[in-house]
């Protein structure tokens, strides 16, 4: 059952061949059996999942089926769930159960999704390995000695291992697309403003965007349709008509123009990834797509700009975790200054502390103009460059990252890892939708292909990936130990 797509499960449920309760029991058993190999979940919610499945069966009996009625999902653990631990994979929030649901959670529940809990991630979404989690690293189901990527590590691993059919994620600088590539699943970061950020624990507010990881572009379309939409509770939410993504997948690629930035391919690709790229481009070409090579003048500045803007925003966002209102609080302190100092020293992990320091430094009076303001100006140049290219072409494409997932003992700083992931960050700085889909293997690990689209053009992005997947089997391949 777990190898099915959401659309296949939907048909079985609608025909009455299986009940939502039976589906829930099956996936609960898979999680209980296989999760110890992965460490992809932080909190499981089996009791509420069974209750939601029962409600799904009652809805289907009344012919009141929604997009995701009875479909098993999980939420990244920075998406607030009422009464359920929401830790952002940090000691700082290890005892925090929000008094409200994020809009994403409300929307997906309204569409009948059955949530099995909260999945692991890099602490406060800072990292690209899954190794910065207070709850331990998430293992890659293709090889449990390798990382699952990050920051949405648990989301990607749980979907790849068939523990759920889809999972929510967030993407600040590639945090959906990179683990999707590493785990051989499809992941989409929508346009900034397409999905409400209300109830999503913030990292960098001008870059963060909720999205989805699933096996296929079609599954991503179904879930994204269910979770998107205008939300007055989020001041950055876009008040735009929401397309029915799941019904807009029959796009002809004939005459579609795709830009291939030279810099995307000049990132130290290994031979197997380069071969997978050639084969992928050949399929798109057979489907009628036309390619044009372009230069990204500011590509080398993408990572430096990100490491000014994102930490600066993170330093502000994380200042609320002070031991006073909620979350972890240091004990046996003598005064307020010691409370702040020890709470934040003990509550945050090393990666988070380093980014807070980096961001605070960039905003000091001496450096504010030269770092933060200059970073924002260059960000505008990067965004303009992407938008200018997308006036001439339909998509920008290339390898998602330079190769497959590395082993857990791989030693590299977060900045070195971001250079490996440099193809990802531009879409965040420009607020554009971007998707990664599986395209092949390198050293027995999956590798992904990235498509970046025009603002609010998720429908065509998903449709292009879907057309590729109708002519490819990479998204159907499963890690042997989780088949």
């Amino acid at each position: 059952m777990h190898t099915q797509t959401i659309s296949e499960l939907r048909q079985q449920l609608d025909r009455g061949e299986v009940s939502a309760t039976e589906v829930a029991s099956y996936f609960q058993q898979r999680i209980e059996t296989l999760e110890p190999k992965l460490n992809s979940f932080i909190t499981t919610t089996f009791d509420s999942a069974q209750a939601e499945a029962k409600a799904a069966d009652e809805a289907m009996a009344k012919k009141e089926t929604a997009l995701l009625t009875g479909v098993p999902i999980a939420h990244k653990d920075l998406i607030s769930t009422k009464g359920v631990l929401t830790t952002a994979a940090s000691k700082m929030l290890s005892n925090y159960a929000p008094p409200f649901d994020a809009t994403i959670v409300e929307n997906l529940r309204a569409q009948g999704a059955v949530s099995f809990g909260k999945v692991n991630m890099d602490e406060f979404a800072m990292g690209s390995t899954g190794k910065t989690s207070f709850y331990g690293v998430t293992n890659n189901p293709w090889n449990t000695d390798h990382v699952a990527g990050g920051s949405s590590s648990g989301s990607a691993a749980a979907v790849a291992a068939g523990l759920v059919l889809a999972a929510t994620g967030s993407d600040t600088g590639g945090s959906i697309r990179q683990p999707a590539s590493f785990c051989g699943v499809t992941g989409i970061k929508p346009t900034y403003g397409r999905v409400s950020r209300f109830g999503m624990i913030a990292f960098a507010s001008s870059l963060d965007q909720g999205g989805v990881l699933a096996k296929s572009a079609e599954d991503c379309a179904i879930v994204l349709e269910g979770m998107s939409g205008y939300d007055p509770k989020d001041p950055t939410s876009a008040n735009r008509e929401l397309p029915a993504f799941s019904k807009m997948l029959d796009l002809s690629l004939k005459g579609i123009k795709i830009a291939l930035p030279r810099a995307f391919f000049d990132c130290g690709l290994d031979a197997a990834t380069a071969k997978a790229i050639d084969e992928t481009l050949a399929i798109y070409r057979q489907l009628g797509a036309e390619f044009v090579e372009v230069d990204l003048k500011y590509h080398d500045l993408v990572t430096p700009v990100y490491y000014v803007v994102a930490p600066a925003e993170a330093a502000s966002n994380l200042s609320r975790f002070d031991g006073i209102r909620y979350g972890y609080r240091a004990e046996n302190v003598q005064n307020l200054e010691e409370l702040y100092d020890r709470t934040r020293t003990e509550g945050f992990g090393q990666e988070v502390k380093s980014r807070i320091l980096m961001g605070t430094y960039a905003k000091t009076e001496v450096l504010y103009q030269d770092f933060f303001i200059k970073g924002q100006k260059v960000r505008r140049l990067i965004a303009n460059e992407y938008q200018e290219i997308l006036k001439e072409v339909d998509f920008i494409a290339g390898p998602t990252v330079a190769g497959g997932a590395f082993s857990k003992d791989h030693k590299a700083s977060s900045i070195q890892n971001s250079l490996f992931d440099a193809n990802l960050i531009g879409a965040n700085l420009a607020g554009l939708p971007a998707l990664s889909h599986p395209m092949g293997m390198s050293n027995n690990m999956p590798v992904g292909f990235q498509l970046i689209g025009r603002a609010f053009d998720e429908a065509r992005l998903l449709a292009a990936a879907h057309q590729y997947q109708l002519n490819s089997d990479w998204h159907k391949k499963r890690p042997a130990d989780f088949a």
Side-chain angles (χ1 to χ4, degrees):
M1 188 188 290
H2 77 283
T3 56
Q4 301 180 105
T5 62
I6 290 172
S7 53
E8 287 167 347
L9 178 61
R10 168 86 283 121
Q11 288 167 11
Q12 285 194 310
L13 287 164
D14 290 348
R15 289 195 295 257
E17 293 169 14
V18 66
S19 70
T21 313
E22 288 169 334
V23 171
S25 296
Y26 172 83
F27 279 92
Q28 176 175 335
Q29 187 182 3
R30 272 189 77 76
I31 293 168
E32 287 172 337
T33 306
L34 297 171
E35 162 57 18
K37 296 183 191 175
L38 287 181
N39 195 36
S40 63
F41 275 80
I42 290 175
T43 303
T44 50
T45 54
F46 295 142
D47 290 347
S48 60
Q50 291 292 347
E52 287 169 356
K54 189 166 177 255
D57 282 331
E58 289 166 3
M60 287 187 290
K62 296 180 198 163
K63 300 285 188 273
E64 294 172 357
T65 305
L67 266 177
L68 292 159
T69 303
V71 173
I73 66 162
H75 290 293
K76 186 174 181 177
D77 205 27
L78 52 58
I79 295 169
S80 298
T81 40
K82 184 176 180 178
V84 176
L85 276 181
T86 301
T87 70
S90 178
K91 181 178 181 179
M92 185 63 86
L93 290 175
S94 58
N95 62 357
Y96 175 59
F100 65 97
D101 280 322
T103 299
I104 287 174
V105 174
E106 283 182 353
N107 288 354
L108 291 175
R109 185 182 293 122
Q111 292 294 338
V114 175
S115 173
F116 280 82
K118 311 298 289 294
V119 280
N120 207 350
M121 55 182 281
D122 279 300
E123 184 183 6
F124 282 102
M126 297 182 195
S128 54
T129 59
K131 288 161 71 173
T132 71
S133 171
F134 176 61
Y135 298 92
V137 63
T138 304
N139 301 327
N140 192 311
W142 291 87
N143 181 338
T144 53
D145 291 330
H146 287 236
V147 299
S151 65
S152 306
S153 52
S155 303
V159 170
L163 304 188
V164 287
L165 292 188
T168 56
S170 67
D171 193 311
T172 306
S175 285
I176 286 172
R177 291 159 287 155
Q178 188 252 32
S181 178
F182 276 9
C183 291
V185 300
T186 306
I188 183 167
K189 176 201 92 72
T191 311
Y192 185 79
R194 173 65 87 190
V195 170
S196 172
R197 291 187 302 112
F198 179 77
M200 221 169 82
I201 294 168
F203 164 11
S205 300
S206 75
L207 299 166
D208 297 345
Q209 186 54 204
V212 57
L213 298 96
K215 288 177 180 131
S216 65
E218 182 179 24
D219 283 2
C220 284
I222 295 166
V223 181
L224 188 62
E225 185 179 329
M227 70 195 279
S228 299
Y230 174 63
D231 179 14
K233 293 191 291 245
D234 173 6
T236 62
S237 176
N239 193 356
R240 297 175 68 108
E241 187 182 349
L242 177 62
F245 300 129
S246 62
K247 296 181 177 64
M248 301 170 70
L249 297 169
D250 293 333
L251 171 79
S252 167
L253 295 189
K254 200 160 179 56
I256 290 275
K257 285 194 167 57
I258 300 177
L260 304 176
R262 291 180 181 90
F264 278 15
F265 296 80
D266 187 23
C267 56
L269 294 178
D270 61 56
T273 305
K275 179 171 178 283
I277 280 279
D278 289 343
E279 291 168 355
T280 300
L281 295 180
I283 291 174
Y284 276 102
R285 197 174 281 113
Q286 284 162 15
L287 292 168
E290 299 167 13
F291 296 105
V292 51
E293 285 194 13
V294 295
D295 285 312
L296 287 174
K297 271 191 304 190
Y298 302 108
H299 183 75
D300 289 347
L301 296 174
V302 161
T303 303
V305 166
Y306 175 82
Y307 271 95
V308 170
V309 174
E313 294 186 13
S316 297
N317 279 326
L318 271 60
S319 64
R320 70 194 67 171
F321 304 113
D322 54 9
I324 304 293
R325 286 160 284 198
Y326 58 93
Y328 176 77
R329 178 185 294 179
E331 295 177 350
N332 304 318
V333 295
Q334 303 304 310
N335 53 48
L336 189 62
E337 187 176 344
E338 188 186 352
L339 174 67
Y340 285 159
D341 184 358
R342 277 196 32 220
T343 293
R344 292 168 68 77
T345 301
E346 295 165 16
F348 288 134
Q350 196 54 47
E351 181 65 30
V352 172
K353 284 188 278 203
S354 72
R355 296 209 198 187
I356 290 172
L357 288 169
M358 217 186 302
T360 305
Y361 183 64
K363 292 188 297 180
T364 55
E365 190 178 353
V366 181
L367 297 172
Y368 184 73
Q369 289 294 335
D370 284 344
F371 276 71
F372 187 70
I373 296 300
K374 194 169 280 183
Q376 295 288 18
K377 288 177 177 175
V378 179
R379 177 184 182 174
R380 170 49 54 201
L381 294 174
I382 292 164
N384 288 349
E385 183 171 51
Y386 274 75
Q387 284 154 9
E388 286 302 310
I389 291 170
L390 286 164
K391 284 179 185 172
E392 306 297 322
V393 302
D394 299 277
F395 308 116
I396 297 169
T400 307
V401 287
F406 32 80
S407 68
K408 287 189 289 190
D409 55 15
H410 166 79
K411 296 279 189 289
S413 71
S414 58
I415 294 176
Q416 287 169 316
N417 285 332
S418 280
L419 290 168
F420 184 76
D421 300 341
N423 293 358
L424 300 163
I425 297 169
N428 296 88
L429 294 173
L432 297 170
L435 172 152
S436 175
H437 66 66
M439 67 164 180
M441 304 288 282
S442 172
N443 298 318
N444 298 315
M445 300 302 288
V447 287
F449 186 74
Q450 178 179 224
L451 291 168
I452 301 168
R454 297 169 186 159
F456 298 102
D457 199 13
E458 293 87 0
R460 287 200 315 153
L461 205 57
L462 289 158
H466 176 64
Q467 293 304 314
Y468 168 85
Q469 289 179 340
L470 290 176
N471 293 274
S472 157
D473 287 335
W474 291 113
H475 64 294
K476 295 179 183 174
K477 297 200 180 298
R478 299 285 164 264
D481 291 348
F482 297 87

